[in-house]
Amino acid sequence: ILNKYSNSRNAMPSESEEMLKQVAQVGADLKNATHVFARGMRQNPLTSENIRKVQEDRVFLRDVLREVSSEVGDSGKFQCLADSVEAELNSKKELQEIVKREESSRRRIKMLKREIEDVKRQEVDEMQSRDELIAHLKDQLQEMKAKTNME
């Protein structure tokens, strides 16, 4: 679209050029998303989760296209497309943050489990050391009793 209108720059205000650039970017993002989706489908074809995701994406795209079509027909603008893309990007960022927090939590849990195991090992070692000390002291007590009985 951008190439089609690039020859007539004088006829189009800079705001329209910016919107065309945004549309081109959305198109490129859509192409990339389609590629990622196709790769995912090759890896796990037609699982129930994939089918659900495809249905959700189709409904979202249909609703956005209807809204854009209506807005372009009414006002000649397509701000709702940019708003929808921005909302999806924000949603994606939120999900990525959740994933990062989950990964961090998992690492923390592993670390805490290791610390618990270390504490348990230390307690076992201390118990063995105490048992050895108690046995040694019992032996000494027996020896002392034997000596006092002989005297």
Side-chain angles (χ1 to χ4, degrees):
I1 294 175
L2 184 60
N3 292 337
K4 182 178 177 182
Y5 292 106
S6 64
N7 295 336
S8 60
R9 285 188 176 202
N10 296 337
M12 296 181 67
S14 63
E15 185 177 312
S16 296
E17 288 178 5
E18 182 62 33
M19 292 303 279
L20 287 174
K21 288 179 184 177
Q22 288 178 359
V23 167
Q25 180 62 38
V26 167
D29 291 344
L30 182 60
K31 182 178 179 181
N32 183 39
T34 302
H35 176 71
V36 169
F37 170 74
R39 185 172 9 138
M41 288 299 288
R42 281 191 298 268
Q43 291 173 354
N44 294 322
L46 297 179
T47 63
S48 61
E49 184 68 20
N50 282 344
I51 292 171
R52 186 186 60 78
K53 287 179 183 179
V54 168
Q55 290 296 343
E56 289 174 0
D57 289 345
R58 286 181 59 211
V59 169
F60 172 76
L61 182 60
R62 183 191 65 212
D63 293 344
V64 168
L65 288 176
R66 280 185 189 161
E67 191 176 335
V68 168
S69 176
S70 174
E71 186 177 5
V72 167
D74 294 343
S75 65
K77 297 182 180 182
F78 41 88
Q79 183 61 38
C80 63
L81 178 61
D83 294 343
S84 295
V85 169
E86 187 172 336
E88 283 298 308
L89 289 175
N90 288 338
S91 175
K92 186 175 180 179
K93 285 179 186 177
E94 288 175 9
L95 289 174
Q96 288 173 341
E97 286 298 318
I98 290 170
V99 168
K100 285 180 184 178
R101 284 194 312 261
E102 182 179 339
E103 289 172 353
S104 175
S105 296
R106 287 182 185 192
R107 284 191 299 271
R108 177 121 171 93
I109 288 171
K110 284 182 181 179
M111 182 186 71
L112 291 172
K113 284 182 178 179
R114 280 188 224 123
E115 287 180 13
I116 289 171
E117 290 298 319
D118 289 344
V119 168
K120 285 181 179 179
R121 272 190 238 113
Q122 287 176 351
E123 288 178 354
V124 166
D125 290 345
E126 287 177 7
M127 291 291 284
Q128 287 176 347
S129 175
R130 288 180 194 155
D131 289 344
E132 290 172 4
L133 180 61
I134 290 171
H136 178 70
L137 291 174
K138 283 182 178 179
D139 288 343
Q140 285 182 348
L141 180 63
Q142 289 297 327
E143 289 175 14
M144 292 178 84
K145 282 183 180 179
K147 283 183 183 178
T148 53
N149 286 341
M150 292 179 121
E151 292 176 358

